[in-house]
């Protein structure tokens, strides 16, 4: 195992800039780690070794000419398998798209290429991003590097497991209800859901368009900020992209100072259903903020209680409309096309076999919620709740600069533990969903381990386009964790720790 794989992207960028290493060497080290460890964690669905080595060689050649594309030129990255990538399959974890190679790159992917990053491959996910464990992937679940019998969260568990197991220093995720932050929390990695509209959705296969938001998955706060600065900013190809420049994120990540910051602890995120270890770690993190000079107050967001219910109407409604395009004609799988079946039969047979159980459950709920006569009763009511949730945030942000909560009520659960119980699975996103409904910035940072040695995350929530405040708090917390426990948790997760699983 090369020690390069445990370094953060910003450390590696310094080594590249100093001429101490080459991108090809760095890329090779990660490809070797993928070969050795991916069979255990199933984080990657597709590895593009040749493409990555060619991109790395290009980066080295560019650097030799004195032309550098960005701060992260030559650094490897993995991409969740719902981002369109030319030359690489994009399956969304579904049989429905098995083997489909998109004809264009998502804007975020295109920006990575322009910035000179080296794309290692595509990561596993719950089918079309529906789930909190990666267990709905048609290609088998990913496993949590901290304990291989446990889930790495979802839907972006592949990206988070890959980062936690040092298969890559950086990854991209997408967060519709928590799919970057919840996997981040349970794998001890940093996961950021930018402000809705802050990172382009163009070329990210849509789950629920009014909630989806791409973002970074990394081991350090600065790495997320650097990556966010590359993929973020206005994109004319996405009509919901915000035409405003991003705040200075990397500067905020390095400030390490929370003096004078007003921090609101959301009263509703705690109590029944929350593990005592999670609450204890959270209380400790709040104390760190207070000791660091932040002013901590309790705030109430009474409508958050209804956020999960509203989400499970709005999300399936949008999903049922977005997934209608998978009709056996336009993309991927086509079954039953034997010359006798008509088009409707071919579509029905293909959908029947191509979609998994969770996808079908949600498509049926969504179609029902939008059906004539029920539209106002279900979808309309949920949209009203969404407005109330956004109002709670407005009131809270009138008093506070940021809000904090545990990212998840529990640490990583065991594989299979919640597969037969959709409600238990959905509750993994209890704390993350309100920010998707309201569209504000939110992130998860590692704050320590439970008694059983499993990671716990702190969620930091900021107003729209104040993403820098998440990074400011994250950078402060990371420095605190490092000074208390060493860089183990923040920088290298389990691979070099005393709890190494291989
Ligand atoms: N776990 C949530 C769900 O199943 C969130 C998914 C996501 O953010 N893509 O819908």
């Amino acid at each position: 195992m090369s020690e390069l794989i445990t370094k953060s992207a910003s450390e590696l960028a310094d080594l590249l800039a100093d001429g101490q290493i080459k991108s090809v060497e760095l890329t090779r080290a990660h490809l070797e780690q993928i070969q050795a460890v991916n069979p255990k964690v199933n984080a990657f669905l597709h590895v593009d070794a040749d493409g990555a080595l060619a991109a790395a060689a290009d980066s080295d050649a560019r650097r030799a000419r004195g032309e550098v594309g960005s701060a992260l030129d030559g650094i490897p990255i993995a991409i969740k398998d719902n981002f369109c990538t030319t030359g690489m399959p994009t399956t969304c974890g579904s049989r429905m798209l098995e083997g489909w190679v998109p004809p264009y790159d998502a804007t975020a992917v295109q920006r990575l290429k322009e910035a000179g990053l080296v794309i290692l491959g595509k990561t596993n996910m719950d089918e079309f991003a529906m789930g909190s464990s990666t267990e709905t992937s048609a290609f088998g679940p990913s496993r949590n590097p901290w304990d291989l019998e446990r889930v790495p969260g979802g839907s972006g568990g592949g990206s988070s497991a890959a980062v936690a197991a040092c298969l890559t220093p950086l990854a991209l995720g997408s967060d519709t209800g928590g799919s970057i932050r919840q996997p981040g929390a349970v794998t001890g990695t940093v996961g950021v859901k930018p402000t809705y509209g802050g990172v382009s959705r163009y070329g990210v296969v849509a789950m629920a368009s009014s909630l989806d938001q791409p973002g970074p998955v990394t081991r350090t706060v600065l790495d997320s900020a650097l990556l966010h600065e590359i993929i973020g900013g206005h994109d004319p190809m996405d009509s919901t992209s915000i035409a405003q420049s991003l705040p200075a994120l990397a500067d905020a990540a390095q400030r390490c100072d929370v003096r004078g910051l007003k921090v609101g602890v959301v009263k509703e995120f705690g109590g029944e259903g929350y593990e005592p270890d999670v609450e204890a770690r959270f209380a400790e993190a709040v104390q760190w903020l207070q000791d660091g000079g932040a002013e901590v107050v309790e705030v109430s967001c009474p409508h958050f209680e209804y956020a999960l219910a509203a989400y499970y109407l709005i999300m399936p409604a949008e999903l049922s409309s977005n997934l209608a395009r998978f009709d056996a004609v336009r993309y991927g799988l086509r079954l039953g096309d034997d010359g006798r079946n008509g088009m409707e039969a071919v579509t029905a047979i293909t959908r029947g076999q191509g979609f998994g159980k969770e996808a079908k459950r949600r498509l049926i709920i969504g179609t029902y919620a939008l059906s004539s006569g029920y539209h106002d009763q279900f979808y309309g009511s949920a949209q009203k709740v969404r407005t109330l949730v956004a109002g709670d945030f407005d009131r809270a942000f009138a008093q506070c600069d940021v809000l904090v909560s545990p990212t998840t009520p529990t640490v990583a659960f065991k594989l299979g533990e919640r597969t037969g119980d959709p409600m238990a699975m959905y509750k993994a996103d209890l704390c993350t969903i309100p920010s998707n409904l309201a569209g504000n910035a939110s992130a998860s940072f590692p704050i320590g381990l439970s008694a059983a040695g499993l990671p716990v995350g702190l969620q930091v929530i900021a107003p729209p386009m104040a993403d820098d405040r998440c990074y400011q708090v994250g950078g402060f917390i990371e420095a605190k964790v490092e000074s208390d426990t060493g860089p183990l948790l923040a920088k290298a997760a389990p691979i070099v720790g005393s709890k190494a699983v291989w």
Side-chain angles (χ1 to χ4, degrees):
M1 181 187 103
S2 157
E3 69 169 41
L4 288 178
I5 60 163
T6 63
K7 295 196 183 302
S8 71
S10 68
E11 287 167 343
L12 293 169
D14 289 345
L15 293 176
L16 284 168
D18 285 353
Q20 293 186 42
I21 57 168
K22 293 259 184 279
S23 175
V24 166
E25 175 190 356
L26 185 57
T27 302
R28 214 166 258 137
H30 284 95
L31 290 169
E32 278 166 18
Q33 175 77 349
I34 292 171
Q35 209 171 24
V37 174
N38 196 53
K40 295 180 190 168
V41 292
N42 195 30
F44 277 87
L45 293 179
H46 177 81
V47 179
D48 181 18
D50 292 343
L53 287 168
D58 283 350
S59 169
D60 288 334
R62 231 181 352 260
R63 197 176 288 276
R65 291 195 303 270
E67 298 161 16
V68 178
S70 72
L72 298 180
D73 196 329
I75 305 286
I77 186 163
I79 298 177
K80 187 176 179 181
D81 209 18
N82 59 349
F83 286 75
C84 286
T85 44
T86 50
M88 267 185 253
T90 294
T91 67
C92 294
S94 181
R95 291 258 173 254
M96 208 66 184
L97 280 178
E98 197 169 2
W100 181 62
V101 179
Y104 68 101
D105 281 322
T107 296
V109 173
Q110 192 193 332
R111 289 185 180 177
L112 293 179
K113 288 183 177 173
E114 284 163 8
L117 281 87
V118 172
I119 299 175
L120 295 169
K122 306 295 289 290
T123 57
N124 198 11
M125 55 184 284
D126 281 295
E127 185 172 18
F128 286 104
M130 294 176 237
S132 303
S133 66
T134 72
E135 291 168 296
T136 72
S137 167
F139 309 109
S142 298
R143 288 167 183 268
N144 192 322
W146 292 84
D147 176 350
L148 296 175
E149 294 310 311
R150 290 178 189 266
V151 303
S155 64
S159 281
S160 299
V163 168
C166 298
L167 309 187
T168 176
L170 305 170
L172 288 188
S174 67
D175 191 312
T176 303
S179 283
I180 292 177
R181 289 162 289 160
Q182 182 258 3
V186 302
T187 59
T189 52
V190 174
V192 178
K193 184 201 88 69
T195 298
Y196 181 81
V199 175
S200 172
R201 289 182 297 110
Y202 180 70
V204 183
V205 179
M207 177 184 177
S209 312
S210 76
L211 303 160
D212 298 343
Q213 188 51 210
V217 177
T218 65
R219 287 191 296 272
T220 72
V221 179
L222 177 58
D223 284 0
S224 271
L226 292 169
L227 181 53
H228 190 157
E229 285 180 346
I230 288 173
I231 59 175
H234 183 241
D235 176 17
M237 300 301 281
D238 173 356
S239 63
T240 57
S241 168
I242 297 175
Q244 195 180 316
S245 50
L246 295 174
L249 307 175
D251 287 350
Q254 295 174 96
R255 203 168 304 152
C256 283
D257 185 357
V258 291
R259 275 174 298 175
L261 202 72
K262 271 195 113 175
V263 176
V265 174
V266 182
K267 194 171 106 194
E268 284 75 11
F269 288 144
E272 204 192 316
Y274 287 74
E275 281 176 358
D277 267 2
V278 169
E279 296 209 290
R281 289 291 87 76
F282 173 66
E284 227 165 66
V286 171
Q287 191 60 49
W288 294 337
L289 292 169
Q290 202 155 17
D291 295 346
E295 190 187 327
V296 177
V297 294
E298 191 176 78
V299 294
S300 176
C301 296
H303 301 99
F304 283 13
E305 189 187 334
Y306 311 108
L308 191 73
Y311 171 83
Y312 275 96
L313 282 168
I314 294 167
M315 174 272 297
E318 293 186 16
L319 181 97
S320 68
S321 157
N322 278 325
L323 267 55
R325 61 169 65 85
F326 302 110
D327 55 3
V329 177
R330 283 175 280 195
Y331 307 88
L333 192 69
R334 180 179 304 169
L335 299 173
D337 186 10
D338 57 5
R340 286 185 307 242
N341 285 320
M343 196 201 116
E344 278 187 21
V346 170
T347 302
I349 293 167
T350 305
R351 286 183 177 158
Q353 295 184 35
F355 285 128
K357 199 166 146 193
E358 183 64 19
K360 286 179 189 159
R361 185 189 341 259
R362 297 193 193 195
L363 290 172
I364 291 167
I365 294 173
T367 311
Y368 183 74
L370 289 176
S371 56
S372 77
Y374 292 107
H375 181 276
D376 281 349
Q377 191 182 341
F378 294 122
Y379 185 72
S381 308
Q383 290 290 20
K384 287 180 188 156
V385 173
R386 185 176 195 169
T387 304
L388 293 172
V389 168
D392 280 358
F393 275 121
D394 288 344
R395 271 185 299 279
F397 287 130
Q399 300 169 51
C400 305
D401 300 310
V402 293
L403 304 178
V404 291
S405 77
T407 309
T408 53
T410 71
V411 294
F413 46 93
K414 290 227 161 86
L415 282 152
E417 193 180 306
R418 300 192 186 178
T419 42
D421 185 352
M423 271 314 287
M425 190 69 91
Y426 299 169
K427 281 185 180 161
D429 295 309
L430 217 50
C431 310
T432 49
I433 280 173
S435 292
N436 297 87
L437 290 176
N440 49 259
S442 180
S444 178
F445 305 107
I447 45 172
L449 302 177
S450 70
L454 294 166
V456 176
L458 170 76
Q459 179 174 233
V460 181
I461 308 172
M465 291 311 272
D467 304 52
D468 52 328
R469 293 186 203 166
C470 292
Y471 288 105
Q472 182 188 348
V473 174
F476 172 85
I477 290 285
E478 180 179 69
K480 183 71 192 158
V481 172
E482 276 197 45
S483 73
D484 276 17
T485 63
L488 200 167
L489 183 67
K491 291 253 173 68
I495 191 79
V496 292
S498 53
K499 287 198 61 70
V501 289
W502 15 82

